[in-house]
Amino acid sequence: MLEIIKEPWPWYVAGPLIGLTVPILLIIGNKSFGISSSLRHICAACIPANISFFKYDWKKESWNLFFVFGIFLGGVITAYFLSNPNEVVITPELAEKLATYGITDHTGLVPAQLFSWESLFTLRGFIMIVVGGFLVGFGTRYAGGCTSGHAIMGLSNLQWPSLVATICFMIGGFIMALLILPYILSL
């Protein structure tokens, strides 16, 4: 049983399990699924400033903080006890292409040549980690939510803004992967 848990789950198992969070949250407490709003709740709870954006009853949304903490705790448990020790399997063509950019370590979930403390102090690593993190945060705030809020919850509720946001997420991902990322990796 433990071996089944350690292996990647196919989309037709993992997808419906993720999708079931929407009706469960709606049925149990009329709650919306989303992760990015938890940062607002944390700021409202920890920073008693006179900023109108943080002046609301964040305690009503404290369930979201427990939900996000559960995701974090599940990630920690998985990383320490259930991680697969084998290299990530990628196609030989992709491995060859990544090798041209100096990315040869496929032992972790992400390449250590891109995401590590050592790479943070390189131009490529700074762009990938710091600038990329800022852009994700800015985009999340600008779009009024993250991919989980819009693509999972919003689309299932047939919300037009979520459809537009999800289409923009996808277009941005394609542009990044096909046009911008190769330039950054060549730095």
Side-chain angles (χ1 to χ4, degrees), residues 60-77:
K60 282 183 175 178
E61 302 297 327
S62 61
W63 72 271
N64 188 266
L65 297 175
F66 288 107
F67 187 82
V68 171
F69 179 73
I71 292 171
F72 171 77
L73 187 61
V76 170
I77 290 169

Side-chain angles (χ1 to χ4, degrees), residues 92-157:
E93 295 84 13
L94 179 59
E96 184 179 317
K97 182 72 173 171
L98 289 174
T100 63
Y101 297 119
I103 301 169
T104 56
D105 183 9
H106 306 293
T107 56
L109 289 177
V110 294
Q113 289 99 346
L114 290 179
F115 299 101
S116 65
W117 287 109
E118 294 81 26
S119 70
L120 178 61
F121 299 107
T122 65
L123 179 61
R124 178 170 72 174
F126 183 81
I127 291 171
M128 294 289 291
I129 297 170
V130 178
V131 176
F134 173 78
L135 289 174
V136 166
F138 175 79
T140 299
R141 178 69 187 110
Y142 186 74
C146 59
T147 52
S148 59
H150 282 299
I152 298 172
M153 188 72 187
L155 288 181
S156 64
N157 287 326

Side-chain angles (χ1 to χ4, degrees), residues 143-144 149-151 154-155 157-169:
H150 282 299
L155 288 181
N157 287 326
L158 304 176
Q159 295 179 3
W160 175 252
S162 291
L163 177 63
V164 173
T166 303
I167 290 170
C168 290
F169 294 154

Side-chain angles (χ1 to χ4, degrees), residues 17-69:
L17 288 176
I18 293 170
L20 285 174
T21 59
V22 172
I24 289 171
L25 285 172
L26 288 173
I27 291 169
I28 290 178
N30 198 25
K31 305 291 184 189
S32 292
F33 178 69
I35 304 301
S36 61
S37 58
S38 62
L39 181 59
R40 180 181 182 207
H41 305 324
I42 291 170
C43 290
C46 297
I47 305 172
N50 197 15
I51 301 170
S52 61
F53 184 70
F54 297 126
K55 284 185 161 184
Y56 67 97
D57 188 11
W58 61 269
K59 293 177 185 173
K60 282 183 175 178
E61 302 297 327
S62 61
W63 72 271
N64 188 266
L65 297 175
F66 288 107
F67 187 82
V68 171
F69 179 73

